[in-house]
Amino acid sequence: MKLRSDDAKSRCVVQAPEITCKAGPISRVNHLGNTGNSNNASRLIMDMPYFPSGQSKRCVMRVRYNITTGDYDPWKTDKSSNKKDDVIENDPQVDVLGNGEKLTLAINTAQTGRVFQDRSHAYIVLPRTAKMAGKVIQNLNVRGRRGNLVQTIPAVEYDFVPDRLVMGTNELLHIQWTGSNSNDKNNNGEGSAGTDRHNLMQMSSLAASYPNKISEADFWNDVESLTDPDASGKDIAIGLASSGYYCAEKATGACPKANSLKQNSKSSISGTLDNVPASFFGHVLKFKKAGSMKYMCTRNNSFSNRSQKGVLYVSDNASSASSGSSSRKGRRGRKNRGQMAEE
């Protein structure tokens, strides 16, 4: 089909999926924290879209939620009822005492049946390599924004998401994150004002505040990168610890010498990661055997203020479908629930 009337070229288009419309998780009214009986905030677990062209695609996810009052029948009330006080009115005065004295109700008819938080998020889906074909890819990244508990509302402080992930050796894991340098400069946080920075380092105990040194981070010995096949486990650990400032110990196929730990001519890495990239593509990882890892961010894990830690469990060919993990996942070579129109 033709994507535009003035475009002479016809293209194969992947049909967009039906809109996902479901009841939200149960929470206390006006509550912005965790929902239901879980330790997780409201979230959507989705399959990433798949495009048979094998080309990078820019996608948009639009999130909306609706809230409706029980003061009238929402299925029988439409725009024709606008400005009709017999349906509902602004700040009505009600004789609740029965003596003619009235109390005013705080009702705004513009709020009683509407769509809230119409948010659009753009992202890019990259083509998979041959070794990724047919595999579920779990996504481990970062949520939240710079600031303390009060300053981040209605968002949250920095956190890994999912902060507890159970997956199998038959699955892959993409560790990545995004950030910016344009946060409110008055918000609390470590490092330069207004900046997001993250890293990921193995640690021995979630009760501790210190990470393991790279030489002691043995979890990475049985991990390989599908996005940088030449990278050793140590190279992967260096990249995650420095948020890509150093992409490996020495040059690899995907890491130029100028960006490696031992062959670069760059200035030293900032102790608070101020001179590292705000966003990090990371690695798509394959695990050679079962194991577990506790990890932390050295910059944002501020004891008594906020905790940016997590734990990863890798089991032999375990299915993550029932693990309660909250990562996005996709499978190559089949149609996903998250298909989107191909442009």
Side-chain angles (χ1 to χ4, degrees), residues 31-283:
H31 180 58
L32 299 174
N34 296 339
T35 55
N37 296 319
S38 74
N39 291 323
N40 296 321
S42 299
R43 60 192 59 192
L44 171 68
I45 301 175
M46 61 174 284
D47 281 346
M48 299 299 290
Y50 161 66
F51 299 107
S53 66
Q55 298 177 3
S56 298
K57 296 295 175 183
R58 182 177 175 86
C59 303
V60 175
M61 179 174 67
R62 189 180 189 190
V63 182
R64 316 171 81 187
Y65 76 87
N66 176 270
I67 184 169
T68 303
T69 181
D71 292 308
Y72 50 81
D73 187 343
W75 301 107
K76 297 180 180 179
T77 307
D78 54 29
K79 64 181 182 180
S80 63
S81 301
N82 286 343
K83 299 182 180 180
K84 290 185 178 180
D85 290 347
D86 59 331
V87 178
I88 193 171
E89 61 178 310
N90 285 317
D91 299 331
Q93 293 184 326
V94 182
D95 181 7
V96 295
L97 301 175
N99 65 348
E101 298 177 84
K102 298 180 179 181
L103 299 181
T104 301
L105 306 183
I107 294 179
N108 181 350
T109 60
Q111 304 288 321
T112 55
R114 58 167 288 190
V115 173
F116 283 80
Q117 303 288 17
D118 192 346
R119 303 290 178 86
S120 295
H121 303 270
Y123 60 95
I124 296 175
V125 177
L126 300 177
R128 300 190 181 206
T129 66
K131 287 189 176 182
M132 298 178 194
K135 300 286 187 180
V136 168
I137 300 179
Q138 297 288 347
N139 187 11
L140 172 58
N141 53 29
V142 171
R143 67 169 179 163
R145 60 186 293 239
R146 183 183 180 93
N148 60 33
L149 182 66
V150 175
Q151 293 167 335
T152 59
I153 288 176
V156 295
E157 296 171 282
Y158 295 128
D159 189 18
F160 289 109
V161 59
D163 56 9
R164 179 184 181 275
L165 174 60
V166 180
M167 58 176 293
T169 53
N170 56 330
E171 299 175 316
L172 306 176
L173 175 64
H174 190 183
I175 302 178
Q176 59 179 319
W177 52 78
T178 60
S180 78
N181 296 316
S182 56
N183 290 273
D184 189 329
K185 293 187 181 300
N186 293 318
N187 281 12
N188 293 351
E190 308 300 322
S192 296
T195 64
D196 295 319
R197 294 293 186 272
H198 307 281
N199 65 352
L200 187 151
M201 296 194 69
Q202 183 178 346
M203 61 189 310
S204 298
S205 170
L206 291 176
S209 300
Y210 288 78
N212 294 345
K213 295 180 180 179
I214 296 295
S215 59
E216 301 168 347
D218 55 358
F219 176 81
W220 303 108
N221 295 340
D222 296 298
V223 179
E224 62 178 286
S225 172
L226 300 190
T227 43
D228 186 0
D230 296 333
S232 66
K234 186 176 183 180
D235 293 330
I236 296 169
I238 289 172
L240 292 170
S242 66
S243 191
Y245 189 76
Y246 303 122
C247 45
E249 184 176 29
K250 295 182 180 179
T252 68
C255 176
K257 180 170 63 175
N259 291 335
S260 66
L261 177 63
K262 292 190 173 181
Q263 298 170 302
N264 77 89
S265 58
K266 302 193 292 185
S267 58
S268 298
I269 190 171
S270 164
T272 51
L273 305 177
D274 288 327
N275 60 344
V276 310
S279 300
F280 180 47
F281 174 79
H283 292 269

